[in-house]
């Protein structure tokens, strides 16, 4: 055993390393390094172990030669005291090392999880790490780029000589202040959340968001704990469903080879009516009759439950055997497992029923503001008839119906048209009607009929098409319809509707009959906080000035 001493006069609170450092400082060059130092907790002494007797004696002498340090050599009464303390110290060290290792591993894992969470969050909300005010600035820059593109493409196609003033000098187009989102609605705002069912990177069944791409042979999904734009209630339902699916005997649907069953989960909710509508998509071709019945029963048991302040308005089971990515609204057949096939939303104090497969604006408080922009654009123009084109559940027409005497809507989705008719009824509106058709198939006839009101009607055409805009014949019908002197064009993808806008604005010619329109103002409505998307509301007026110049 190596020789040891007990050194008295040490600070009670000091730890091994601090004692060693202090001794080194006090004894300077002459200090003799011990092989081990043990400072028991809260004791005024420490144990020192030396390599041999010689070293130990040198150290003892050093202490005795420096009485001013008030250190004394004590006796080690209990022979095992040092060993016991050493054992304790080694155990403690091991425990510390283990804790550090565990902490590091946990931390490393957390880093990986956090990175994954972050990637997923960025996928669904690419701007969520950017200050909201900067997001709006970025979007305004994008909107101004659209205006610039509109100008350049107009001139490129038609030459400067035919370009109206407002094209040559786009400062004449008024860019209104952006309609921003109130602070409390900037996160977790989606009223419709769609989840894909597949396997995650751990090969577990997961109800999450696509991270791979089917084209690249990667069908995988991940579920984040939090997603910046998905509400907590939707995440809760997705989690609950995932737990159920992980012990289901049926597999997720494989979008490449068509095997498996489970496809999608869609959760729609209203914070205003507190209603929930849940739709599950499957491929029932891979189930026999009994299995299908079993799934229906199990889903009812799983989802027919309480959801805090929300209540389940409807539960639907949709079937599709199509390969490739799902479209939540498309199904080959749909079965109502519980309740209704729609839920109710409140927009600008109007009741709006929305079917499971009907379009709705994804941010209700911002939808109020979008529709208010449209209402304001109709004010002071003596509009007598409003054409609600691509009307969805009739919402825009309904919201302007208090101030315009006649609303005619056109919409191709049958469920949406059914909703619209119901919505006209539940809001006691007698001045609204909807034609269930593609706009391009009926617009010419509608435009012709409207001509009979020529002179008596001030028409406002409001277009709110999908991202890609409308076909040219729709534009032509609107252009050539006398009486339509005002257009509101709502777009969720403004760069994609530049062509439509140019077609509306080209000066009259043999090809472009009737005077063109002029872009008067444009308003950005931030319908998609934390993402780069936004709605643009373009307001156009018939430009009779251009007509007279050309005639
Ligand atoms: C962006 S949504 C707008 C819906 C509605 N205006 C709203 O604010 O809720 C576009 C709508 O256009 C409909 N649609 C798409 N193509 C159409 C077409 N060619 N003719 C008529 N409706 C169409 C879709 O079914 C959808 O309801």
């Amino acid at each position: 055993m190596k020789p040891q001493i007990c050194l008295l006069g040490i600070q009670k609170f000091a730890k091994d390393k601090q004692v060693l450092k202090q001794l080194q400082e006090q004894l300077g060059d002459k200090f003799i390094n011990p092989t081990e130092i043990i400072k028991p907790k809260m004791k005024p002494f420490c144990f020192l172990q030396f390599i041999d007797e010689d070293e130990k004696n040198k150290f003892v002498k050093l202490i005795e030669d420096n009485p001013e340090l008030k250190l004394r050599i004590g006796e080690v009464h209990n022979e095992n005291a040092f060993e016991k303390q050493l054992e304790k110290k080694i155990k403690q060290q091991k425990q510390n090392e283990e804790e550090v290792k565990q902490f590091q591993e946990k931390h490393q894992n957390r880093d990986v999880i956090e990175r994954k969470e972050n990637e997923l969050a960025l996928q669904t909300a690419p701007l969520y790490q950017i200050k909201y005010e900067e997001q709006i600035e970025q979007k305004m820059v994008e909107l101004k780029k659209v205006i610039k593109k509109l100008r350049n493409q107009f001139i490129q196609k038609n030459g400067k000589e035919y370009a109206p003033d407002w094209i040559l000098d786009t400062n004449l187009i008024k860019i209104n202040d952006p309609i921003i989102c109130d602070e409390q609605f900037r996160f977790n705002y989606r009223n419709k959340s769609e989840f894909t069912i597949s396997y995650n990177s751990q090969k577990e069944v997961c109800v999450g968001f696509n991270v791979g791409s089917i084209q690249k042979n990667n069908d995988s999904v991940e579920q984040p704990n939090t997603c910046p734009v998905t509400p907590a209630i939707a995440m809760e339902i997705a989690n609950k469903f995932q737990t159920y699916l992980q012990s289901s005997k049926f597999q997720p649907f494989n979008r490449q080879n068509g095997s498996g069953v489970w496809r999608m989960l869609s959760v729609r909710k209203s914070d205003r009516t507190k209603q929930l509508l849940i739709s599950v998509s499957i491929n029932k071709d891979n189930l026999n009759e009994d299995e299908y019945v079993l799934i229906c029963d199990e889903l009812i048991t799983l989802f027919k439950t309480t959801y805090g302040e929300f209540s389940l308005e409807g539960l639907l089971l949709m079937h599709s055997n199509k390969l490739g990515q799902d479209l939540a609204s498309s199904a080959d057949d749909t079965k109502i497992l519980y309740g209704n096939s729609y839920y109710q939303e409140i927009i600008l104090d109007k009741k709006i029923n929305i079917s499971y497969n009907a379009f709705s604006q994804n941010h209700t408080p911002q939808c109020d503001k979008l529709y208010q922009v449209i209402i304001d654009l109709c004010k002071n123009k003596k509009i007598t008839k409003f054409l609600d084109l691509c009307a969805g559940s009739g919402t825009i027409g309904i919201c302007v119906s208090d101030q315009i005497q006649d609303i005619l809507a056109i919409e191709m989705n049958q469920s949406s048209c059914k909703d619209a008719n119901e919505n006209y009824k539940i809001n006691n509106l007698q001045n609204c009607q909807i034609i269930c058709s593609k706009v391009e198939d009926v617009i010419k006839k509608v435009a012709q009929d409207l001509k009979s009101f020529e002179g008596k009607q001030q028409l406002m055409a409001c277009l709110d098409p999908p991202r890609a805009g409308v076909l040219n014949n729709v534009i032509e019908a609107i252009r050539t319809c006398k009486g339509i002197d005002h257009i509101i064009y709502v777009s969720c993808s403004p760069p994609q509707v530049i062509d439509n806008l140019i077609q509306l604005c080209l000066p009259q010619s043999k090809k472009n009959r009737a005077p063109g329109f002029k872009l008067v103002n444009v308003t950005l409505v931030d319908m998609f906080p934390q993402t780069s998307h936004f709605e643009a509301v373009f307001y156009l007026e018939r430009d009779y000035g251009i007509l007279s110049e050309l005639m």
Side-chain angles (χ1 to χ4, degrees):
M1 198 174 31
K2 289 176 190 160
Q4 307 138 17
I5 59 158
C6 174
L7 187 64
L8 302 167
I10 303 290
Q11 278 177 359
K12 265 184 173 180
F13 297 98
K15 292 184 179 164
D16 299 357
K17 280 184 186 164
Q18 288 165 318
V19 174
L20 198 63
K21 200 173 163 209
Q22 246 173 27
L23 290 173
Q24 277 168 343
E25 280 168 7
Q26 289 168 336
L27 300 169
D29 309 343
K30 292 173 192 150
F31 177 70
I32 290 155
N33 251 324
T35 52
E36 188 65 74
I37 177 164
I38 296 172
K39 162 70 180 57
K41 249 187 194 173
M42 298 303 287
K43 302 284 180 209
F45 59 84
C46 71
F47 296 110
L48 297 167
Q49 188 183 56
F50 295 91
I51 192 130
D52 55 26
E53 278 296 325
D54 194 30
E55 292 278 282
K56 179 191 125 184
N57 291 338
K58 276 191 213 162
F59 186 85
V60 171
K61 184 157 187 315
L62 201 58
I63 297 296
E64 287 166 352
D65 289 349
N66 290 284
E68 74 284 359
L69 297 179
K70 297 200 169 99
L71 295 169
R72 283 180 298 120
I73 304 296
E75 301 247 331
V76 182
H77 295 297
N78 183 348
E79 275 187 8
N80 292 332
F82 180 83
E83 264 65 40
K84 271 191 184 163
Q85 289 293 339
L86 186 62
E87 215 174 279
K88 224 170 152 185
K89 183 178 169 180
I90 292 170
K91 204 171 150 196
Q92 185 65 45
Q93 270 174 351
K94 275 194 177 155
Q95 202 175 323
N96 288 349
E97 278 168 19
E98 191 53 36
E99 273 174 19
V100 168
K101 208 172 131 202
Q102 276 180 7
F103 176 82
Q104 282 174 341
E105 274 176 10
K106 203 171 144 198
H107 216 72
Q108 251 179 4
N109 271 343
R110 247 189 54 200
D111 275 358
V112 172
I113 291 167
E114 271 174 13
R115 205 160 354 104
K116 268 194 179 167
E117 287 275 323
N118 206 18
E119 277 167 20
L120 269 175
L122 282 170
Q123 198 171 305
T124 48
L127 304 189
Y128 89 103
Q129 289 164 330
I130 297 175
K131 259 174 63 184
Y132 185 68
E133 289 67 24
E134 276 175 44
Q135 294 183 22
I136 294 294
E137 271 173 37
Q138 276 190 22
K139 293 182 192 194
M140 284 301 273
V141 168
E142 288 309 310
L143 181 62
K144 284 173 190 164
K145 275 190 200 162
V146 170
I147 302 287
K148 205 169 159 194
K149 251 188 177 169
L150 173 77
R151 175 191 188 275
N152 293 344
Q153 285 184 22
F154 192 107
I155 291 174
Q156 215 175 17
K157 277 188 188 161
N158 308 287
K160 266 191 177 172
E161 63 272 34
Y162 293 112
D165 290 355
W166 62 271
I167 279 285
L168 295 173
D169 178 6
T170 49
N171 289 324
L172 295 173
I173 305 165
K174 183 161 186 265
I175 298 181
N176 291 321
D177 288 342
I179 307 293
I180 64 168
C181 178
D182 295 338
E183 212 167 336
Q184 69 270 36
F185 303 123
R186 289 179 190 167
F187 286 94
N188 309 104
Y189 54 79
R190 290 195 70 100
N191 49 33
K192 179 181 183 181
S193 309
E194 283 164 359
F195 302 89
T196 302
I197 302 162
S198 188
Y199 294 96
N200 64 16
S201 53
Q202 317 291 307
K203 307 280 174 247
E204 298 156 337
V205 176
C206 177
V207 179
F209 300 117
N210 294 304
V211 285
S213 113
I214 292 177
Q215 288 80 10
K216 290 183 186 156
N217 236 5
N218 179 359
D219 197 7
S220 69
V221 295
E222 292 292 343
Q223 195 193 75
N225 289 329
T226 55
C227 168
V229 293
T230 308
I233 180 75
M235 292 305 300
E236 259 171 51
I237 293 169
N239 269 322
K240 182 185 165 85
F241 192 32
Q242 180 173 280
T243 308
Y244 160 80
L245 291 180
Q246 283 174 347
S247 54
S248 164
K249 65 174 179 168
F250 307 109
Q251 304 302 309
F253 180 69
N254 182 315
R255 288 163 179 76
Q256 282 127 339
N257 65 22
S259 66
V261 174
W262 304 107
R263 297 191 70 131
M264 273 194 86
L265 168 74
S266 157
V267 179
R268 301 182 84 158
K269 58 107 198 184
S270 163
D271 287 330
R272 297 175 177 177
T273 62
K274 304 292 178 203
Q275 292 183 2
L276 276 174
L277 187 67
I278 300 179
S279 320
V280 172
S281 298
I282 59 166
N283 172 19
K284 69 174 183 183
D285 290 354
N286 294 332
L287 297 170
N288 65 34
E289 191 92 344
D290 289 346
E291 288 170 335
Y292 181 69
V293 171
L294 175 82
I295 277 188
C296 293
D297 289 346
E298 286 188 355
L299 289 179
I300 295 170
T301 312
L302 180 75
F303 288 119
K304 216 181 126 194
T305 175
T306 50
Y307 296 93
E309 54 178 356
F310 288 93
S311 66
L312 184 68
E313 184 63 18
L315 172 64
L316 298 123
L317 185 60
M318 295 156 74
H319 157 73
S320 167
N321 55 13
K322 291 188 187 70
L323 299 182
Q325 215 78 272
D326 290 63
L327 278 177
S329 52
S330 78
D332 299 333
D333 70 60
T334 301
K335 184 179 165 75
I336 301 175
L337 296 181
Y338 169 77
N340 292 316
S341 59
Y342 59 85
Y343 74 110
Q344 193 167 85
E345 183 56 285
I346 305 284
I347 303 173
L348 286 179
D349 295 331
K350 304 284 188 203
K351 295 177 202 148
I352 305 292
N353 284 355
I354 302 168
S355 284
Y356 68 99
N357 56 349
F359 173 89
S360 68
Q361 300 289 351
N362 78 114
H363 191 311
T364 310
Q366 283 304 94
C367 178
D368 278 351
K369 293 188 185 177
L370 169 70
Y371 293 175
Q372 191 58 51
V373 169
I374 296 170
I375 292 172
D376 291 345
L377 284 169
C378 292
K379 277 184 186 151
N380 307 321
K381 293 190 178 77
K382 301 201 174 94
I383 305 290
T384 50
K385 194 169 184 102
F386 186 92
L387 296 180
D388 185 2
L389 306 177
C390 298
S393 308
T395 44
I396 295 179
I398 290 171
C399 290
V400 297
S401 65
D402 290 340
Q403 63 186 85
I404 297 176
Q405 88 197 30
D406 201 2
I407 314 291
L408 177 63
I410 305 177
E411 164 62 46
M412 63 179 264
N413 179 303
Q414 280 190 9
S415 302
S416 298
C417 292
K418 211 171 131 224
D419 290 344
N421 276 319
E422 191 58 26
N423 292 333
Y424 298 151
K425 228 187 266 169
I426 57 178
N427 289 290
N428 299 318
L429 302 174
Q430 265 92 48
N431 56 344
C432 302
Q433 58 164 312
I434 189 157
I435 301 173
C436 192
S437 165
K438 285 188 173 175
V439 178
E440 54 271 31
D441 294 347
V442 288
I443 189 73
K444 211 168 176 180
K445 166 91 174 56
V446 168
Q448 271 162 4
D449 291 350
L450 291 174
K451 273 188 198 158
S452 57
F453 294 103
E454 233 171 80
K456 298 186 200 120
Q457 297 265 25
Q458 272 288 335
L459 300 164
M460 170 71 86
C462 178
L463 277 152
D464 184 11
R467 293 173 150 255
V470 290
L471 297 178
N472 268 349
N473 55 352
V474 175
I475 298 293
E476 200 194 324
I478 291 174
R479 237 191 110 118
T480 50
C481 178
K482 284 194 179 159
I484 297 184
D485 285 347
H486 312 268
I487 297 175
I488 294 171
Y489 197 127
V490 183
S491 170
C492 60
S493 182
Q496 286 184 266
V497 301
I498 290 176
D499 261 358
N500 277 177
L501 293 173
I502 292 179
Q503 278 303 120
L504 283 169
C505 296
L506 281 172
Q508 187 169 12
S509 65
K510 267 190 196 157
K511 196 168 156 230
N512 300 299
R513 290 174 298 131
F517 285 80
K518 102 181 195 200
L519 180 55
V520 178
N521 63 47
V522 54
T523 312
L524 182 153
V525 181
D526 189 23
M527 191 67 83
F528 314 93
Q530 322 308 334
T531 80
S532 55
H533 301 287
F534 57 88
E535 293 275 339
V537 183
F538 298 94
Y539 171 62
L540 304 101
E541 272 175 6
R542 185 82 75 171
D543 194 353
Y544 289 106
I546 285 277
L547 169 74
S548 52
E549 270 168 37
L550 289 171
M551 285 183 79

